Amino acid sequence: MNLTESPSTASVDSPRFANTNSAQEQHSPASNVVPANEYYSSSNYVTRHRTLSLKPVSTQDPNDPMALPASATKYRRPRRGSHDDKASKPRRFLIDVEETQKLILEQEDTDGDFQITVNDMGPKVITLGTADSAGFNKYDIRGTYMLSNLLQELSLAQDYGRKYVVLDEARLNENPVDRLSRMIRHHFWDGLTRRIDAEGLELIANDPKNRSKNTAPRIYIPFGEDEVLEYYKNVSVQKPHLKLDVEQLPEVITPKYVQSINEKPGILALAMTKFLNDEGQETLKGVPFVVPGGRFNEMYGWDSYFESLGLLVDGRLELAKGMVDNFVYEIKHYGKILNANRSYYLTRTQPPFLTDMILKVYDRLPYSLEIENKQWLAVALTAAIKEYLTVWMSQHRYDPESGLSRFYSEGVGMPPETEPTHFDHVIKPYADRKGVSVEEYSRLYNEGLVDEPDLDTYFKHDRAVRESGHDTTYRLDNCAADIATVDLNSLLYKYEVDIAETIQSIFGDSFETPFFDSYDTSSSTNHPETVVHTSAEWFERARVRQERLNNLCWNEKRGMYFDYDTRRKTQGTYESVTTFYTMWSGLADREKAEKMMANALPLFEVTGGLVSGTESSRGLITLTRPNRQWDFPFGWAPHQIMAWIAFEKYGFMEEAKRTCYRWLYTITKSFVDFNGVVPEKFDVVNMTHRVQVEYGNVGVDFKFIPREGFGWMNASYQVGLGYMDRGLRRALGAVMDPCKVFKGRALAVENSPNESIVTQPPDVTTRLVRPNSLRRV
């Protein structure tokens, strides 16, 4: 049931919600939930024309929606337009799309950004004519939310070639929670979906981060993929307008080689499947995947994990499964799950989530295909074991003394995907000493013509920060490659447990893979071709990592986990919300979890959700020491999702719901006030998406209507709604401030101590803790 708001009590800028009563359903069945492709292309939404025109029937334009049937009276008598605020049934408006859009922008878009937001200073009212009266009865559309929805709907109508449209009022005053969730499910995921093949290349080849002189589309094919190489060569011939450059990678990819192609950046091929085209010929097509959005127009590492959670909630199982398949392809051909599939990311990975991603997809595969599903699982699990051993247990990333792992990306020179001036402040002192420009010194350094160990160290840590996904933060500033982070080692503990449980419960406690090098075997020349894995060895790996993380990273006095510096052999002091990763992974015992909820949660819970770190840990911000986007006061979708699941695992459901509501409130309020925006991140302390920080904020630059949102933000909304009980969802739809919501809920608990206020969602498959009913034994 949607919360309704009386017109007499609603403020101009507050959302007014549709009352989904039976009369509306009879008049226009669920018009507010119909996807745009159905709504604007269906004849069901074209009005019946019962009035007459001043034009003779013979001279009417047949494409005019107000045109009369030939049987109509030749002329109609003039009528005076009336302003009617009363309606016996839900209104529908007859709209000239182009003229109305022009009127809205001229009158309401006072800052000229092609959006209607709370910052615009217009009168916030547009008058529309109702369809039943052929436009003579008028009704005011008021407030930022309804006007921005009108602007968005007109843009969608234009997408489907509609010059005129009959628009249900229910689409303008729709409950914002329902509207945003519907847009994510039916529009945003499709807007972010890509394929790498003949049809998808033009879109995916676009690289906003490419600042080389050569911007022609280019694709790199892995060594040994001859059939794929031949396919793309044919594409380059068949589609000469693309000017596609097809290159094959060498068998051994070194950091020096990766640097050598920085001036020729390109997309890296991903998995393909065979199919029969319209001519009955066998050919290839790319396995689809989701990109984060904006300038991130490729498949990313940890973004893809969180996106897959949202896809699973929205029933997009095949798309989530395809993303696992693409990761398996990357591990097989590129040696790791890549930071993203561009050539300049070939030496860099991202936080590891593959085992959990695999199992969540596997849990939802149809039981009727159990044999095929198990074969798919075996391939994916083999890839995860390879990644664990050859990447995270390899030299540089694994520290044998502490027994913990670190982020470490091999590379030469400066990361090329950054903005042109990103490292100028770092390079300038060295350039000044040498008496050359920053640009010239950068060239000399990248070409290895100057030897500067301090810069080498700086960029070693810079690449590690980027690999961590937390780029950038003072937590890892100029030390990232030395830090065994709580988050990384919690994720690897989860790998170890997932692999152990899967081998034990699904593969009869015996799972064979090829031999893979790791830190303790890489020096050996004699090794078997295959290895049989048992659950015991993987449970032991998990036990050892848990013990070492507890010994080196747990701070009993502070009641939370801190990172460990493997070079200085000291525990860090930066208070990071990633302490809750230990609960997400199940690494923390009950006593430690309770201490974190008592000591750590109050440090990070703010109005808009969970903040990345504390203000005191971040330190003083000055002109020479600016904000970093993964520090206070910023909040990010991955941290929120991980925390909700973590709290739920240990039974802290009220805390999960409360922190989840805060985050969804932040998204919903921004969506309502700023023309439907769904950005990359938020300042959750000052409650704004308009942030002054490095890299800006992706997802805010659009005209008329957002087309994609942002990948993991979309996912956090869909996942988070699974934690909302009926009362919280109603409050969210009314955009009620969290402080008011939870003050009321605290009173409810006090007055009804024996009554649970936690109502579990009816569909447990929308939740992210693996339910026992879905685990396959």
Side-chain angles (χ1 to χ4, degrees):
M1 180 183 296
N2 291 337
L3 185 66
T4 58
E5 183 179 39
S6 168
S8 62
T9 61
S11 65
V12 170
D13 283 330
S14 66
R16 298 177 54 206
F17 312 119
N19 182 8
T20 54
N21 54 32
S22 57
Q24 178 184 356
E25 291 171 358
Q26 293 172 7
H27 180 72
S28 178
S31 61
N32 60 322
V33 298
V34 175
N37 63 333
E38 296 179 29
Y39 189 83
Y40 291 109
S41 61
S42 172
S43 60
N44 293 334
Y45 297 99
V46 177
T47 186
R48 294 170 298 174
H49 310 299
R50 297 179 299 169
T51 54
L52 303 180
S53 169
L54 290 174
K55 297 180 181 179
V57 172
S58 59
T59 65
Q60 293 183 97
D61 182 353
N63 295 321
D64 188 340
M66 296 179 65
L68 298 171
S71 59
T73 306
K74 186 174 182 181
Y75 297 100
R76 77 175 305 282
R77 98 186 130 74
R79 289 179 56 194
R80 176 173 56 85
S82 63
H83 192 95
D84 188 2
D85 272 332
K86 298 179 180 179
S88 59
K89 58 184 179 181
R91 298 180 184 86
R92 307 175 82 203
F93 301 111
L94 182 61
I95 298 174
D96 181 318
V97 174
E98 186 176 347
E99 286 300 317
T100 307
Q101 184 185 76
K102 182 179 179 181
L103 174 63
I104 293 175
L105 293 176
E106 288 180 349
Q107 176 180 299
E108 303 292 344
D109 181 24
T110 58
D111 58 8
D113 63 355
F114 297 93
Q115 300 174 18
I116 306 301
T117 74
V118 291
N119 291 336
D120 287 309
M121 304 303 292
K124 297 291 173 70
V125 58
I126 290 287
T127 302
L128 298 179
T130 61
D132 286 346
S133 69
F136 282 89
N137 290 337
K138 308 294 183 182
Y139 182 75
D140 287 345
I141 302 301
R142 294 180 177 274
T144 298
Y145 181 63
M146 290 187 73
L147 287 172
S148 67
N149 286 349
L150 176 58
L151 184 65
Q152 293 172 53
E153 293 296 329
L154 294 178
S155 183
L156 289 170
Q158 286 181 323
D159 290 347
Y160 293 93
R162 301 294 295 273
K163 294 184 178 179
Y164 299 88
V165 67
V166 174
L167 184 64
D168 289 82
E169 185 182 8
R171 293 182 80 87
L172 303 182
N173 61 11
E174 183 179 3
N175 184 303
V177 176
D178 297 339
R179 181 176 178 86
L180 176 52
S181 183
R182 174 175 59 81
M183 290 180 71
I184 293 170
R185 185 167 56 253
H186 294 297
H187 300 292
F188 289 178
W189 291 134
D190 290 337
L192 292 171
T193 299
R194 304 285 187 272
R195 286 198 342 243
I196 304 180
D197 54 22
E199 284 69 40
L201 261 175
E202 202 152 3
L203 187 58
I204 191 65
N206 176 44
D207 183 7
K209 299 182 299 303
N210 180 7
R211 52 189 177 92
S212 70
K213 296 178 181 178
N214 192 339
T215 58
R218 182 177 295 103
I219 185 166
Y220 285 95
I221 314 299
F223 181 85
E225 287 284 86
D226 296 335
E227 186 178 8
V228 176
L229 179 66
E230 189 63 27
Y231 170 84
Y232 285 112
K233 285 184 176 179
N234 289 334
V235 170
S236 68
V237 172
Q238 295 164 4
K239 296 192 172 186
H241 68 281
L242 288 179
K243 298 180 180 178
L244 179 65
D245 182 12
V246 182
E247 303 275 353
Q248 188 165 35
L249 293 168
E251 184 173 7
V252 178
I253 300 172
T254 66
K256 194 67 178 175
Y257 169 77
V258 175
Q259 187 198 36
S260 73
I261 59 173
N262 279 347
E263 288 303 312
K264 299 191 301 179
I267 197 74
L268 299 172
L270 291 179
M272 305 191 82
T273 58
K274 293 183 179 180
F275 80 110
L276 296 179
N277 60 21
D278 294 338
E279 290 75 35
Q281 300 170 327
E282 186 178 79
T283 185
L284 299 173
K285 67 177 178 180
V287 174
F289 55 92
V290 169
V291 302
R295 64 190 179 95
F296 304 115
N297 186 39
E298 50 272 314
M299 183 176 178
Y300 277 75
W302 71 326
D303 293 73
S304 294
Y305 168 73
F306 293 102
E307 290 156 2
S308 73
L309 301 185
L311 292 171
L312 291 174
V313 169
D314 284 339
R316 306 291 288 270
L317 175 61
E318 283 304 310
L319 186 50
K321 179 174 178 285
M323 294 170 78
V324 173
D325 293 337
N326 279 315
F327 278 163
V328 170
Y329 186 92
E330 287 189 343
I331 293 169
K332 177 180 178 180
H333 293 289
Y334 306 123
K336 60 181 74 68
I337 290 176
L338 299 173
N339 185 153
N341 66 313
R342 297 279 180 193
S343 56
Y344 40 78
Y345 292 132
L346 274 165
T347 63
R348 194 189 310 161
T349 184
Q350 274 203 324
F353 286 90
L354 182 58
T355 58
D356 195 66
M357 189 176 178
I358 291 168
L359 293 174
K360 282 187 168 57
V361 170
Y362 178 73
D363 284 341
R364 290 159 175 81
L365 295 177
Y367 284 87
S368 59
L369 299 174
E370 192 62 23
I371 295 176
E372 293 90 337
N373 297 343
K374 191 172 178 179
Q375 291 171 343
W376 177 85
L377 178 62
V379 172
L381 188 66
T382 299
I385 291 173
K386 178 183 177 181
E387 182 207 15
Y388 173 90
L389 292 172
T390 63
V391 176
W392 299 112
M393 298 298 288
S394 67
Q395 291 191 31
H396 297 306
R397 288 191 177 90
Y398 177 69
D399 174 46
E401 186 171 345
S402 67
L404 300 176
S405 299
R406 307 165 293 198
F407 292 106
Y408 185 94
S409 173
E410 294 181 320
V412 179
M414 297 184 285
E417 78 276 10
T418 56
E419 291 82 355
T421 60
H422 183 79
F423 294 114
D424 282 5
H425 69 290
V426 177
I427 298 297
K428 191 174 187 309
Y430 300 96
D432 290 346
R433 280 204 298 267
K434 197 170 181 63
V436 297
S437 67
V438 169
E439 184 179 5
E440 174 63 11
Y441 191 90
S442 298
R443 182 189 68 79
L444 294 172
Y445 179 74
N446 282 332
E447 294 179 4
L449 299 178
V450 292
D451 182 25
E452 187 49 69
D454 288 346
L455 269 185
D456 294 342
T457 299
Y458 174 87
F459 285 111
K460 176 185 72 173
H461 293 307
D462 180 84
R463 286 188 290 271
V465 170
R466 295 173 191 281
E467 183 168 275
S468 77
H470 294 81
D471 50 332
T472 61
T473 166
Y474 287 112
R475 174 168 73 107
L476 302 175
D477 193 36
N478 208 29
C479 64
D482 297 330
I483 304 299
T485 65
V486 171
D487 38 304
L488 173 58
N489 285 280
S490 296
L491 297 177
L492 293 176
Y493 172 85
K494 182 69 160 56
Y495 261 48
E496 292 155 351
V497 171
D498 285 346
I499 293 170
E501 290 184 343
T502 304
I503 291 174
Q504 183 182 65
S505 63
I506 300 177
F507 293 103
D509 213 10
S510 178
F511 187 74
E512 187 176 33
T513 72
F515 174 86
F516 300 123
D517 277 335
S518 64
Y519 178 85
D520 55 354
T521 62
S522 58
S523 60
S524 174
T525 56
N526 298 318
H527 54 73
E529 290 186 4
T530 62
V531 175
V532 175
H533 301 265
T534 65
S535 62
E537 65 178 275
W538 285 94
F539 279 129
E540 177 61 13
R541 289 176 184 272
R543 186 197 66 78
V544 170
R545 191 179 298 272
Q546 180 185 42
E547 180 182 88
R548 293 179 178 179
L549 198 71
N550 283 334
N551 288 340
L552 297 173
C553 299
W554 174 251
N555 189 307
E556 181 68 21
K557 183 178 179 180
R558 304 291 298 279
M560 61 187 292
Y561 286 90
F562 291 87
D563 300 327
Y564 180 74
D565 190 320
T566 60
R567 183 175 64 86
R568 296 180 178 178
K569 299 178 177 55
T570 57
Q571 189 180 94
T573 59
Y574 188 106
E575 297 163 329
S576 172
V577 74
T578 56
T579 187
F580 297 124
Y581 276 51
T582 59
M583 293 171 64
W584 176 88
S585 66
L587 181 145
D589 60 29
R590 180 73 197 181
E591 182 181 356
K592 289 182 174 60
E594 289 177 351
K595 287 184 177 179
M596 280 190 280
M597 298 306 289
N599 295 287
L601 182 56
L603 296 176
F604 304 111
E605 185 176 356
V606 296
T607 303
L610 296 172
V611 71
S612 297
T614 61
E615 186 174 16
S616 59
S617 290
R618 180 203 64 186
L620 187 64
I621 296 303
T622 66
L623 289 176
T624 58
R625 193 177 185 270
N627 259 324
R628 299 284 176 82
Q629 62 178 1
W630 286 91
D631 290 327
F632 182 94
F634 303 108
W636 292 78
H639 291 164
Q640 319 299 318
I641 297 173
M642 299 280 282
W644 307 335
I645 299 170
F647 300 163
E648 180 182 11
K649 275 189 174 181
Y650 288 77
F652 299 108
M653 280 305 301
E654 190 59 25
E655 289 82 356
K657 286 172 171 286
R658 187 179 70 240
T659 53
C660 181
Y661 182 90
R662 291 182 182 281
W663 179 252
L664 298 191
Y665 166 79
T666 304
I667 298 174
T668 305
K669 181 169 176 55
S670 190
F671 177 81
V672 166
D673 289 347
F674 289 92
N675 208 107
V677 69
V678 182
E680 175 193 25
K681 57 182 173 282
F682 283 105
D683 176 338
V684 290
V685 175
N686 300 302
M687 298 299 293
T688 179
H689 67 280
R690 297 193 166 187
V691 297
Q692 298 299 319
V693 70
E694 56 189 344
Y695 307 122
N697 205 355
V698 180
V700 302
D701 186 17
F702 60 87
K703 292 182 179 180
F704 308 123
I705 182 172
R707 301 289 182 173
E708 305 173 337
F710 192 83
W712 60 27
M713 193 70 78
N714 299 340
S716 72
Y717 204 78
Q718 301 300 74
V719 169
L721 289 178
Y723 285 87
M724 296 292 96
D725 58 35
R726 180 176 297 180
L728 287 179
R729 181 152 181 154
R730 286 169 62 88
L732 187 62
V735 200
M736 290 180 63
D737 188 284
C739 298
K740 296 181 179 179
V741 171
F742 294 105
K743 180 180 179 181
R745 284 174 71 89
L747 291 174
V749 174
E750 183 179 337
N751 295 333
S752 306
N754 297 321
E755 180 181 346
S756 173
I757 62 173
V758 176
T759 304
Q760 297 291 343
D763 181 8
V764 25
T765 63
T766 66
R767 303 291 291 282
L768 277 304
V769 172
R770 293 181 73 207
N772 289 330
S773 60
L774 289 179
R775 294 183 182 179
R776 306 184 181 197
V777 180

